Amino acid sequence: MKKIVLLVVACLCAVSLFAAPKKKAKKAGDGKIKIGIINNPPSESGYRAANVKDMETVFTAAKGYDVKTFYSGKNEEQLNAAAQFITDGVDYIFLSAAATDGWDKTLKAAQKAGIKVFLFDRMVSAKDSLYEAAVVSDMANEGATAVAWLKSQNLKEYNVIHIQGVMGSDAQLGRTGALDKEFAAGTMKKVVQQTGNWSADEAKKIVESVINSKEKFNVIYAENDDMAKGAVAALDAAGITHGVNGDVIIMGFDCNKWALRELLAGNWNYDGQCSPFQAAVIEGMIKSGKIASKKIINEEKGFDAKTITQADIDTYGLGD
């Protein structure tokens, strides 16, 4: 009998040992909202530097956020970073995709893991059911606004050097679309259409090549300010006038303050706004738990050298 009692006691102890719930180890950063931000490098442009700073200003440790950021202009590297954030078990992923395609599988994996994804700055081609919301610029509208302005100049002919951004990015596709329609319709001539990869140096080489070819041109449509600056450097070196009352119309995008000053001085003709400020809108949705809209479009405009003011530069310009 004594042996039976001892055996029962031993069994109960064993059951108690294995049935007792294990105490969950407290991980570093517990209690904070864990965010993985995937963005293009701040060195890409003045716009991107402002966009990165905006995220850093809003999502701080002091406000209860544990943020890890990955920067790359290559889609494959961004996809790998997203996979790692999913493995790390972040609460949110914020994504500014280098390219619009290729995100379906990764977004599905994040959704399955219970991770909420917000797009910012740029769209992807995936179904909108795979992300919470997108706070973005309407890149196609930016292109349409710029091309409408260009057509309003009523030039006798349009011979355009078109310097594109990184191919496949939402910004490139949107800013290219409206101009491609004019080329296809024959209302404007495509002197050259080539990517400058958002780089001033690459844009400068493209324009130098056209100058050396002796082909006629009177418009440079650059898909960001840095490339417009590189294009102008090539013109200056060749002694070709540009801007208001110049031989070549200069168009850029992003509205860096230094670029808008070029408009005010009459050295450039047009600059299209692209707002980098999306962080506060995303934070508002996280805090409230309410999605204001599946797609929230930044309000943006275009600026003409003949009408821009210092107040415009102070209000809308990015950087110093």
Side-chain angles (χ1 to χ4, degrees), residues 117-149:
V117 176
F118 284 90
L119 307 183
F120 68 96
D121 171 42
R122 299 172 174 183
M123 293 298 296
V124 296
S125 58
K127 294 180 179 178
D128 63 12
S129 59
L130 294 177
Y131 53 84
E132 294 296 300
V135 185
V136 294
S137 293
D138 187 339
M139 303 297 184
N141 187 61
E142 289 179 5
T145 300
V147 170
W149 175 88

PDB file of all heavy atoms in Angstrom, residues 117-149:
ATOM      1  N   VAL A 117       1.110  45.809 -42.654  1.00  0.00           N
ATOM      2  CA  VAL A 117       1.992  46.511 -43.588  1.00  0.00           C
ATOM      3  C   VAL A 117       1.352  47.814 -44.044  1.00  0.00           C
ATOM      4  O   VAL A 117       0.180  47.833 -44.442  1.00  0.00           O
ATOM      5  CB  VAL A 117       2.306  45.630 -44.815  1.00  0.00           C
ATOM      6  CG1 VAL A 117       3.152  46.407 -45.827  1.00  0.00           C
ATOM      7  CG2 VAL A 117       3.013  44.350 -44.394  1.00  0.00           C
ATOM      8  N   PHE A 118       2.136  48.886 -43.970  1.00  0.00           N
ATOM      9  CA  PHE A 118       1.729  50.178 -44.527  1.00  0.00           C
ATOM     10  C   PHE A 118       2.687  50.537 -45.651  1.00  0.00           C
ATOM     11  O   PHE A 118       3.911  50.510 -45.469  1.00  0.00           O
ATOM     12  CB  PHE A 118       1.764  51.275 -43.469  1.00  0.00           C
ATOM     13  CG  PHE A 118       0.623  51.243 -42.494  1.00  0.00           C
ATOM     14  CD1 PHE A 118       0.716  50.517 -41.320  1.00  0.00           C
ATOM     15  CD2 PHE A 118      -0.552  51.941 -42.745  1.00  0.00           C
ATOM     16  CE1 PHE A 118      -0.345  50.475 -40.414  1.00  0.00           C
ATOM     17  CE2 PHE A 118      -1.620  51.905 -41.859  1.00  0.00           C
ATOM     18  CZ  PHE A 118      -1.510  51.175 -40.685  1.00  0.00           C
ATOM     19  N   LEU A 119       2.149  50.876 -46.798  1.00  0.00           N
ATOM     20  CA  LEU A 119       2.961  51.412 -47.881  1.00  0.00           C
ATOM     21  C   LEU A 119       3.099  52.912 -47.678  1.00  0.00           C
ATOM     22  O   LEU A 119       2.160  53.570 -47.233  1.00  0.00           O
ATOM     23  CB  LEU A 119       2.314  51.143 -49.241  1.00  0.00           C
ATOM     24  CG  LEU A 119       1.929  49.697 -49.580  1.00  0.00           C
ATOM     25  CD1 LEU A 119       1.369  49.643 -50.998  1.00  0.00           C
ATOM     26  CD2 LEU A 119       3.098  48.756 -49.418  1.00  0.00           C
ATOM     27  N   PHE A 120       4.264  53.447 -48.018  1.00  0.00           N
ATOM     28  CA  PHE A 120       4.431  54.898 -47.997  1.00  0.00           C
ATOM     29  C   PHE A 120       5.238  55.332 -49.207  1.00  0.00           C
ATOM     30  O   PHE A 120       6.017  54.553 -49.746  1.00  0.00           O
ATOM     31  CB  PHE A 120       5.069  55.382 -46.684  1.00  0.00           C
ATOM     32  CG  PHE A 120       6.508  54.978 -46.491  1.00  0.00           C
ATOM     33  CD1 PHE A 120       7.548  55.834 -46.836  1.00  0.00           C
ATOM     34  CD2 PHE A 120       6.834  53.745 -45.934  1.00  0.00           C
ATOM     35  CE1 PHE A 120       8.876  55.479 -46.645  1.00  0.00           C
ATOM     36  CE2 PHE A 120       8.151  53.374 -45.730  1.00  0.00           C
ATOM     37  CZ  PHE A 120       9.185  54.243 -46.090  1.00  0.00           C
ATOM     38  N   ASP A 121       5.004  56.526 -49.642  1.00  0.00           N
ATOM     39  CA  ASP A 121       5.706  57.131 -50.780  1.00  0.00           C
ATOM     40  C   ASP A 121       5.318  56.496 -52.107  1.00  0.00           C
ATOM     41  O   ASP A 121       4.937  57.191 -53.037  1.00  0.00           O
ATOM     42  CB  ASP A 121       7.215  57.060 -50.558  1.00  0.00           C
ATOM     43  CG  ASP A 121       8.021  57.470 -51.780  1.00  0.00           C
ATOM     44  OD1 ASP A 121       7.631  58.458 -52.417  1.00  0.00           O
ATOM     45  OD2 ASP A 121       9.028  56.815 -52.095  1.00  0.00           O
ATOM     46  N   ARG A 122       5.417  55.160 -52.209  1.00  0.00           N
ATOM     47  CA  ARG A 122       5.206  54.488 -53.487  1.00  0.00           C
ATOM     48  C   ARG A 122       4.240  53.321 -53.362  1.00  0.00           C
ATOM     49  O   ARG A 122       4.184  52.655 -52.346  1.00  0.00           O
ATOM     50  CB  ARG A 122       6.539  53.947 -54.020  1.00  0.00           C
ATOM     51  CG  ARG A 122       7.592  55.011 -54.271  1.00  0.00           C
ATOM     52  CD  ARG A 122       8.911  54.363 -54.599  1.00  0.00           C
ATOM     53  NE  ARG A 122       9.931  55.340 -54.997  1.00  0.00           N
ATOM     54  CZ  ARG A 122      11.154  55.004 -55.381  1.00  0.00           C
ATOM     55  NH1 ARG A 122      11.513  53.744 -55.418  1.00  0.00           N
ATOM     56  NH2 ARG A 122      12.020  55.945 -55.728  1.00  0.00           N
ATOM     57  N   MET A 123       3.532  53.048 -54.446  1.00  0.00           N
ATOM     58  CA  MET A 123       2.623  51.912 -54.505  1.00  0.00           C
ATOM     59  C   MET A 123       3.375  50.657 -54.953  1.00  0.00           C
ATOM     60  O   MET A 123       4.487  50.724 -55.480  1.00  0.00           O
ATOM     61  CB  MET A 123       1.481  52.180 -55.493  1.00  0.00           C
ATOM     62  CG  MET A 123       0.515  53.272 -55.071  1.00  0.00           C
ATOM     63  SD  MET A 123      -0.358  52.885 -53.535  1.00  0.00           S
ATOM     64  CE  MET A 123      -1.302  51.430 -54.034  1.00  0.00           C
ATOM     65  N   VAL A 124       2.743  49.495 -54.714  1.00  0.00           N
ATOM     66  CA  VAL A 124       3.186  48.240 -55.305  1.00  0.00           C
ATOM     67  C   VAL A 124       2.012  47.685 -56.111  1.00  0.00           C
ATOM     68  O   VAL A 124       0.877  48.157 -55.984  1.00  0.00           O
ATOM     69  CB  VAL A 124       3.633  47.210 -54.236  1.00  0.00           C
ATOM     70  CG1 VAL A 124       4.849  47.714 -53.489  1.00  0.00           C
ATOM     71  CG2 VAL A 124       2.502  46.894 -53.265  1.00  0.00           C
ATOM     72  N   SER A 125       2.264  46.678 -56.929  1.00  0.00           N
ATOM     73  CA  SER A 125       1.212  46.156 -57.802  1.00  0.00           C
ATOM     74  C   SER A 125       0.382  45.048 -57.151  1.00  0.00           C
ATOM     75  O   SER A 125      -0.489  44.476 -57.794  1.00  0.00           O
ATOM     76  CB  SER A 125       1.841  45.622 -59.099  1.00  0.00           C
ATOM     77  OG  SER A 125       2.800  44.619 -58.816  1.00  0.00           O
ATOM     78  N   ALA A 126       0.648  44.743 -55.878  1.00  0.00           N
ATOM     79  CA  ALA A 126      -0.088  43.689 -55.178  1.00  0.00           C
ATOM     80  C   ALA A 126      -1.520  44.130 -54.861  1.00  0.00           C
ATOM     81  O   ALA A 126      -1.841  45.317 -54.864  1.00  0.00           O
ATOM     82  CB  ALA A 126       0.640  43.326 -53.889  1.00  0.00           C
ATOM     83  N   LYS A 127      -2.395  43.150 -54.553  1.00  0.00           N
ATOM     84  CA  LYS A 127      -3.769  43.442 -54.166  1.00  0.00           C
ATOM     85  C   LYS A 127      -3.785  44.271 -52.888  1.00  0.00           C
ATOM     86  O   LYS A 127      -2.979  44.039 -51.985  1.00  0.00           O
ATOM     87  CB  LYS A 127      -4.545  42.145 -53.945  1.00  0.00           C
ATOM     88  CG  LYS A 127      -4.756  41.318 -55.205  1.00  0.00           C
ATOM     89  CD  LYS A 127      -5.529  40.046 -54.884  1.00  0.00           C
ATOM     90  CE  LYS A 127      -5.764  39.218 -56.144  1.00  0.00           C
ATOM     91  NZ  LYS A 127      -6.483  37.952 -55.825  1.00  0.00           N
ATOM     92  N   ASP A 128      -4.732  45.209 -52.795  1.00  0.00           N
ATOM     93  CA  ASP A 128      -4.757  46.084 -51.625  1.00  0.00           C
ATOM     94  C   ASP A 128      -5.194  45.353 -50.350  1.00  0.00           C
ATOM     95  O   ASP A 128      -5.053  45.881 -49.251  1.00  0.00           O
ATOM     96  CB  ASP A 128      -5.614  47.326 -51.867  1.00  0.00           C
ATOM     97  CG  ASP A 128      -7.082  47.008 -52.120  1.00  0.00           C
ATOM     98  OD1 ASP A 128      -7.508  45.860 -51.904  1.00  0.00           O
ATOM     99  OD2 ASP A 128      -7.814  47.933 -52.526  1.00  0.00           O
ATOM    100  N   SER A 129      -5.701  44.132 -50.491  1.00  0.00           N
ATOM    101  CA  SER A 129      -6.059  43.347 -49.304  1.00  0.00           C
ATOM    102  C   SER A 129      -4.826  42.852 -48.555  1.00  0.00           C
ATOM    103  O   SER A 129      -4.917  42.392 -47.409  1.00  0.00           O
ATOM    104  CB  SER A 129      -6.916  42.137 -49.705  1.00  0.00           C
ATOM    105  OG  SER A 129      -6.216  41.295 -50.615  1.00  0.00           O
ATOM    106  N   LEU A 130      -3.649  42.983 -49.177  1.00  0.00           N
ATOM    107  CA  LEU A 130      -2.417  42.488 -48.565  1.00  0.00           C
ATOM    108  C   LEU A 130      -1.704  43.543 -47.717  1.00  0.00           C
ATOM    109  O   LEU A 130      -0.668  43.254 -47.130  1.00  0.00           O
ATOM    110  CB  LEU A 130      -1.463  41.972 -49.653  1.00  0.00           C
ATOM    111  CG  LEU A 130      -1.945  40.733 -50.418  1.00  0.00           C
ATOM    112  CD1 LEU A 130      -0.962  40.372 -51.518  1.00  0.00           C
ATOM    113  CD2 LEU A 130      -2.163  39.562 -49.472  1.00  0.00           C
ATOM    114  N   TYR A 131      -2.236  44.768 -47.677  1.00  0.00           N
ATOM    115  CA  TYR A 131      -1.647  45.791 -46.812  1.00  0.00           C
ATOM    116  C   TYR A 131      -2.759  46.604 -46.162  1.00  0.00           C
ATOM    117  O   TYR A 131      -3.900  46.619 -46.628  1.00  0.00           O
ATOM    118  CB  TYR A 131      -0.676  46.685 -47.588  1.00  0.00           C
ATOM    119  CG  TYR A 131      -1.232  47.315 -48.843  1.00  0.00           C
ATOM    120  CD1 TYR A 131      -1.966  48.500 -48.802  1.00  0.00           C
ATOM    121  CD2 TYR A 131      -1.007  46.727 -50.086  1.00  0.00           C
ATOM    122  CE1 TYR A 131      -2.466  49.078 -49.951  1.00  0.00           C
ATOM    123  CE2 TYR A 131      -1.513  47.298 -51.253  1.00  0.00           C
ATOM    124  CZ  TYR A 131      -2.239  48.473 -51.180  1.00  0.00           C
ATOM    125  OH  TYR A 131      -2.734  49.047 -52.316  1.00  0.00           O
ATOM    126  N   GLU A 132      -2.414  47.255 -45.065  1.00  0.00           N
ATOM    127  CA  GLU A 132      -3.405  48.018 -44.303  1.00  0.00           C
ATOM    128  C   GLU A 132      -3.853  49.264 -45.058  1.00  0.00           C
ATOM    129  O   GLU A 132      -5.042  49.525 -45.206  1.00  0.00           O
ATOM    130  CB  GLU A 132      -2.799  48.438 -42.946  1.00  0.00           C
ATOM    131  CG  GLU A 132      -2.489  47.286 -42.018  1.00  0.00           C
ATOM    132  CD  GLU A 132      -3.728  46.543 -41.598  1.00  0.00           C
ATOM    133  OE1 GLU A 132      -4.618  47.165 -40.985  1.00  0.00           O
ATOM    134  OE2 GLU A 132      -3.820  45.342 -41.887  1.00  0.00           O
ATOM    135  N   ALA A 133      -2.871  50.041 -45.508  1.00  0.00           N
ATOM    136  CA  ALA A 133      -3.168  51.282 -46.216  1.00  0.00           C
ATOM    137  C   ALA A 133      -1.909  51.762 -46.914  1.00  0.00           C
ATOM    138  O   ALA A 133      -0.794  51.324 -46.603  1.00  0.00           O
ATOM    139  CB  ALA A 133      -3.680  52.357 -45.253  1.00  0.00           C
ATOM    140  N   ALA A 134      -2.091  52.656 -47.870  1.00  0.00           N
ATOM    141  CA  ALA A 134      -0.970  53.256 -48.592  1.00  0.00           C
ATOM    142  C   ALA A 134      -1.076  54.769 -48.485  1.00  0.00           C
ATOM    143  O   ALA A 134      -2.109  55.347 -48.824  1.00  0.00           O
ATOM    144  CB  ALA A 134      -0.998  52.824 -50.054  1.00  0.00           C
ATOM    145  N   VAL A 135      -0.013  55.396 -47.983  1.00  0.00           N
ATOM    146  CA  VAL A 135       0.052  56.860 -47.901  1.00  0.00           C
ATOM    147  C   VAL A 135       1.109  57.282 -48.920  1.00  0.00           C
ATOM    148  O   VAL A 135       2.310  57.160 -48.676  1.00  0.00           O
ATOM    149  CB  VAL A 135       0.424  57.328 -46.483  1.00  0.00           C
ATOM    150  CG1 VAL A 135       0.373  58.848 -46.402  1.00  0.00           C
ATOM    151  CG2 VAL A 135      -0.507  56.707 -45.450  1.00  0.00           C
ATOM    152  N   VAL A 136       0.663  57.746 -50.063  1.00  0.00           N
ATOM    153  CA  VAL A 136       1.557  57.857 -51.206  1.00  0.00           C
ATOM    154  C   VAL A 136       1.296  59.121 -52.032  1.00  0.00           C
ATOM    155  O   VAL A 136       0.301  59.805 -51.850  1.00  0.00           O
ATOM    156  CB  VAL A 136       1.388  56.633 -52.140  1.00  0.00           C
ATOM    157  CG1 VAL A 136       1.839  55.357 -51.455  1.00  0.00           C
ATOM    158  CG2 VAL A 136      -0.062  56.495 -52.599  1.00  0.00           C
ATOM    159  N   SER A 137       2.228  59.344 -52.940  1.00  0.00           N
ATOM    160  CA  SER A 137       2.035  60.373 -53.959  1.00  0.00           C
ATOM    161  C   SER A 137       1.363  59.735 -55.168  1.00  0.00           C
ATOM    162  O   SER A 137       1.556  58.551 -55.442  1.00  0.00           O
ATOM    163  CB  SER A 137       3.387  60.956 -54.375  1.00  0.00           C
ATOM    164  OG  SER A 137       3.973  61.677 -53.320  1.00  0.00           O
ATOM    165  N   ASP A 138       0.581  60.535 -55.881  1.00  0.00           N
ATOM    166  CA  ASP A 138      -0.011  60.074 -57.133  1.00  0.00           C
ATOM    167  C   ASP A 138       0.994  60.403 -58.238  1.00  0.00           C
ATOM    168  O   ASP A 138       0.974  61.484 -58.824  1.00  0.00           O
ATOM    169  CB  ASP A 138      -1.348  60.776 -57.373  1.00  0.00           C
ATOM    170  CG  ASP A 138      -2.093  60.214 -58.576  1.00  0.00           C
ATOM    171  OD1 ASP A 138      -1.452  59.596 -59.441  1.00  0.00           O
ATOM    172  OD2 ASP A 138      -3.323  60.411 -58.642  1.00  0.00           O
ATOM    173  N   MET A 139       1.891  59.460 -58.486  1.00  0.00           N
ATOM    174  CA  MET A 139       2.977  59.710 -59.424  1.00  0.00           C
ATOM    175  C   MET A 139       2.465  59.958 -60.842  1.00  0.00           C
ATOM    176  O   MET A 139       3.016  60.776 -61.579  1.00  0.00           O
ATOM    177  CB  MET A 139       3.954  58.528 -59.416  1.00  0.00           C
ATOM    178  CG  MET A 139       4.549  58.211 -58.060  1.00  0.00           C
ATOM    179  SD  MET A 139       5.561  59.557 -57.391  1.00  0.00           S
ATOM    180  CE  MET A 139       6.178  58.760 -55.889  1.00  0.00           C
ATOM    181  N   ALA A 140       1.407  59.242 -61.214  1.00  0.00           N
ATOM    182  CA  ALA A 140       0.837  59.455 -62.552  1.00  0.00           C
ATOM    183  C   ALA A 140       0.287  60.874 -62.683  1.00  0.00           C
ATOM    184  O   ALA A 140       0.427  61.516 -63.731  1.00  0.00           O
ATOM    185  CB  ALA A 140      -0.261  58.429 -62.822  1.00  0.00           C
ATOM    186  N   ASN A 141      -0.312  61.373 -61.620  1.00  0.00           N
ATOM    187  CA  ASN A 141      -0.822  62.747 -61.644  1.00  0.00           C
ATOM    188  C   ASN A 141       0.318  63.756 -61.687  1.00  0.00           C
ATOM    189  O   ASN A 141       0.200  64.807 -62.330  1.00  0.00           O
ATOM    190  CB  ASN A 141      -1.701  63.000 -60.419  1.00  0.00           C
ATOM    191  CG  ASN A 141      -2.388  64.355 -60.478  1.00  0.00           C
ATOM    192  OD1 ASN A 141      -3.169  64.627 -61.376  1.00  0.00           O
ATOM    193  ND2 ASN A 141      -2.069  65.208 -59.517  1.00  0.00           N
ATOM    194  N   GLU A 142       1.423  63.440 -60.991  1.00  0.00           N
ATOM    195  CA  GLU A 142       2.594  64.319 -61.062  1.00  0.00           C
ATOM    196  C   GLU A 142       3.064  64.450 -62.508  1.00  0.00           C
ATOM    197  O   GLU A 142       3.354  65.550 -62.993  1.00  0.00           O
ATOM    198  CB  GLU A 142       3.734  63.761 -60.210  1.00  0.00           C
ATOM    199  CG  GLU A 142       3.523  63.856 -58.715  1.00  0.00           C
ATOM    200  CD  GLU A 142       4.666  63.283 -57.916  1.00  0.00           C
ATOM    201  OE1 GLU A 142       5.689  62.887 -58.520  1.00  0.00           O
ATOM    202  OE2 GLU A 142       4.541  63.225 -56.687  1.00  0.00           O
ATOM    203  N   GLY A 143       3.116  63.305 -63.208  1.00  0.00           N
ATOM    204  CA  GLY A 143       3.537  63.327 -64.609  1.00  0.00           C
ATOM    205  C   GLY A 143       2.546  64.069 -65.482  1.00  0.00           C
ATOM    206  O   GLY A 143       2.929  64.875 -66.343  1.00  0.00           O
ATOM    207  N   ALA A 144       1.259  63.818 -65.267  1.00  0.00           N
ATOM    208  CA  ALA A 144       0.219  64.476 -66.069  1.00  0.00           C
ATOM    209  C   ALA A 144       0.225  65.985 -65.862  1.00  0.00           C
ATOM    210  O   ALA A 144       0.070  66.759 -66.813  1.00  0.00           O
ATOM    211  CB  ALA A 144      -1.149  63.894 -65.711  1.00  0.00           C
ATOM    212  N   THR A 145       0.431  66.413 -64.600  1.00  0.00           N
ATOM    213  CA  THR A 145       0.478  67.848 -64.290  1.00  0.00           C
ATOM    214  C   THR A 145       1.665  68.508 -64.982  1.00  0.00           C
ATOM    215  O   THR A 145       1.553  69.606 -65.549  1.00  0.00           O
ATOM    216  CB  THR A 145       0.570  68.063 -62.769  1.00  0.00           C
ATOM    217  OG1 THR A 145      -0.565  67.479 -62.137  1.00  0.00           O
ATOM    218  CG2 THR A 145       0.634  69.544 -62.418  1.00  0.00           C
ATOM    219  N   ALA A 146       2.807  67.826 -64.953  1.00  0.00           N
ATOM    220  CA  ALA A 146       4.023  68.373 -65.576  1.00  0.00           C
ATOM    221  C   ALA A 146       3.864  68.475 -67.089  1.00  0.00           C
ATOM    222  O   ALA A 146       4.220  69.496 -67.706  1.00  0.00           O
ATOM    223  CB  ALA A 146       5.217  67.501 -65.224  1.00  0.00           C
ATOM    224  N   VAL A 147       3.323  67.444 -67.693  1.00  0.00           N
ATOM    225  CA  VAL A 147       3.171  67.439 -69.154  1.00  0.00           C
ATOM    226  C   VAL A 147       2.115  68.457 -69.585  1.00  0.00           C
ATOM    227  O   VAL A 147       2.274  69.125 -70.619  1.00  0.00           O
ATOM    228  CB  VAL A 147       2.825  66.022 -69.659  1.00  0.00           C
ATOM    229  CG1 VAL A 147       2.435  66.044 -71.134  1.00  0.00           C
ATOM    230  CG2 VAL A 147       4.026  65.095 -69.454  1.00  0.00           C
ATOM    231  N   ALA A 148       1.062  68.614 -68.791  1.00  0.00           N
ATOM    232  CA  ALA A 148       0.056  69.640 -69.109  1.00  0.00           C
ATOM    233  C   ALA A 148       0.689  71.028 -69.079  1.00  0.00           C
ATOM    234  O   ALA A 148       0.396  71.883 -69.936  1.00  0.00           O
ATOM    235  CB  ALA A 148      -1.099  69.555 -68.114  1.00  0.00           C
ATOM    236  N   TRP A 149       1.557  71.257 -68.093  1.00  0.00           N
ATOM    237  CA  TRP A 149       2.263  72.542 -68.035  1.00  0.00           C
ATOM    238  C   TRP A 149       3.128  72.723 -69.272  1.00  0.00           C
ATOM    239  O   TRP A 149       3.143  73.805 -69.889  1.00  0.00           O
ATOM    240  CB  TRP A 149       3.135  72.615 -66.777  1.00  0.00           C
ATOM    241  CG  TRP A 149       3.964  73.867 -66.741  1.00  0.00           C
ATOM    242  CD1 TRP A 149       3.609  75.087 -66.238  1.00  0.00           C
ATOM    243  CD2 TRP A 149       5.286  74.027 -67.301  1.00  0.00           C
ATOM    244  NE1 TRP A 149       4.621  75.995 -66.441  1.00  0.00           N
ATOM    245  CE2 TRP A 149       5.657  75.385 -67.096  1.00  0.00           C
ATOM    246  CE3 TRP A 149       6.168  73.176 -67.949  1.00  0.00           C
ATOM    247  CZ2 TRP A 149       6.891  75.885 -67.513  1.00  0.00           C
ATOM    248  CZ3 TRP A 149       7.402  73.682 -68.377  1.00  0.00           C
ATOM    249  CH2 TRP A 149       7.741  75.030 -68.152  1.00  0.00           C
TER     250      TRP A 149
END
